[in-house]
Amino acid sequence: MQRAHDELENKVAERTRELSEANLRLQELDRLKSMFIASMSHELRTPLNSIIGFTGVLLMGMSGKITKKQQDHLEIIKKNSHHLLTLINNIIDISKIEAGKLIPILEEFNLSALLQEIKNSFSLTATKKGIMIDLKMTEKLTIRSDKHSIRQVLTNLVDNSLKYTEKGKIEIEAIKKKGLVEISVKDTGLGIAEKDMDKLFKAFSQISVEGQQNAEGAGLGLYLSKKIIELLGGKIRVESVPGKGSEFIITLPSLPFDGDTS
């Protein structure tokens, strides 16, 4: 009986040692993966920024006049370069979040002004599609959070709404309650089927919408947005009716700062 007990203990100890060694190997692999992503992303971003920069120079005519056909080709190069750069930046941010190395920078800022900037950045694209962007908020809504991260998430949400909205409008609204701020992006687009809801915030997951060609992208935008909002202590959810549109709602803690009376 004692012999069987000792053998069992030895097996448990051996298995524990194997698991510990496997865990150390996984940690090392994760470290190497992070180093690889950081290194390769830097190597990819540097030439991409040069491509974008020189394309801009050519489009401005600083190197001489260009034809309409050349301009069209350069616009395509610029658009796809920006798209690839966004993808690379998303991969870097996801890697940082998963490694626990993306630290929010909290600051007091005017959320109303930020929302106006985001609206303005999409106004030309929206106008070309015949879509109206409506902004609902108080004149000055001040919060304390990570401005860059919130801009990144909201830019992604508005961009998605424009991709899937062919007519109607997009509404951006911000409401501040005691200790919380709620920001929503609502559109009159194609909407999302109930069966596809659980795919929205998964990495590398894309959904097919009837009447719409598959949108470009790797399916990282909403996954990253969810990770960022959760990192900031908030939540993101979606409500949608196929054929009528979707609404993404972000709830964030508005950390107190000196002079905050709300």
Side-chain angles (χ1 to χ4, degrees):
M1 186 70 178
Q2 182 61 41
R3 180 179 177 182
H5 178 75
D6 291 342
E7 288 180 353
L8 179 60
E9 282 194 341
N10 289 335
K11 288 181 178 179
V12 170
E14 177 66 17
R15 183 57 177 162
T16 300
R17 184 185 64 78
E18 291 175 355
L19 289 172
S20 178
E21 290 177 354
N23 186 51
L24 288 174
R25 287 196 296 272
L26 287 173
Q27 290 179 5
E28 177 63 12
L29 286 172
D30 188 62
R31 186 185 69 83
L32 292 173
K33 179 200 73 173
S34 297
M35 289 176 59
F36 172 77
I37 290 175
S39 175
M40 288 304 300
S41 296
H42 175 73
E43 293 300 320
L44 289 170
R45 280 196 298 187
T46 300
L48 261 179
N49 283 322
S50 294
I51 292 170
I52 293 171
F54 282 112
T55 301
V57 168
L58 293 171
L59 283 169
M60 287 187 289
M62 295 176 66
S63 299
K65 291 183 178 181
I66 58 176
T67 66
K68 179 64 170 62
K69 189 172 184 179
Q70 289 171 332
Q71 181 180 349
D72 292 341
H73 289 167
L74 288 170
E75 290 287 0
I76 292 172
I77 293 172
K78 186 176 180 181
K79 176 185 176 184
N80 284 286
S81 296
H82 275 294
H83 172 66
L84 186 54
L85 186 59
T86 298
L87 177 59
I88 292 169
N89 288 335
N90 284 347
I91 292 172
I92 292 173
D93 287 343
I94 289 172
S95 178
K96 286 181 179 178
I97 289 174
E98 292 180 344
K101 294 181 179 179
L102 188 63
I103 309 300
I105 300 175
L106 303 179
E107 60 178 319
E108 176 189 342
F109 67 93
N110 186 346
L111 177 62
S112 301
L114 177 61
L115 294 179
Q116 186 64 58
E117 289 175 17
I118 293 172
K119 175 187 174 181
N120 293 343
S121 69
F122 285 100
S123 60
L124 182 59
T125 303
T127 299
K128 287 181 178 179
K129 290 191 69 173
I131 305 296
M132 181 179 73
I133 300 181
D134 189 17
L135 192 54
K136 296 181 178 180
M137 60 186 182
T138 58
E139 185 176 346
K140 185 177 182 182
L141 183 58
T142 305
I143 67 170
R144 185 169 185 262
S145 191
D146 189 310
K147 183 177 180 180
H148 170 75
S149 294
I150 292 177
R151 183 200 301 275
Q152 185 176 1
V153 171
L154 291 175
T155 296
N156 180 62
L157 293 181
V158 176
D159 185 51
N160 281 345
S161 288
L162 275 174
K163 285 179 183 177
Y164 292 102
T165 302
E166 296 301 325
K167 61 180 180 179
K169 64 179 180 178
I170 295 170
E171 292 182 357
I172 307 171
E173 184 174 10
I175 303 172
K176 189 175 183 183
K177 303 173 183 178
K178 190 170 181 64
L180 294 172
V181 61
E182 186 176 278
I183 312 168
S184 63
V185 177
K186 184 178 181 180
D187 63 57
T188 56
L190 298 174
I192 306 159
E194 182 67 30
K195 64 181 179 66
D196 291 323
M197 284 293 193
D198 62 340
K199 300 177 185 177
L200 281 177
F201 298 105
K202 291 182 179 179
F204 304 106
S205 178
Q206 290 182 315
I207 61 174
S208 297
V209 181
E210 188 176 349
Q212 174 83 21
Q213 292 183 340
N214 289 338
E216 60 183 16
L220 290 176
L222 288 176
Y223 175 74
L224 176 59
S225 294
K226 185 173 185 290
K227 289 285 187 181
I228 289 174
I229 294 302
E230 290 176 347
L231 184 66
L232 295 175
K235 295 180 179 180
I236 182 170
R237 69 183 194 278
V238 60
E239 298 174 1
S240 184
V241 178
K244 293 188 177 180
S246 305
E247 181 177 14
F248 286 82
I249 303 112
I250 297 169
T251 304
L252 286 168
S254 176
L255 302 179
F257 54 85
D258 292 340
D260 189 2
T261 58
S262 58

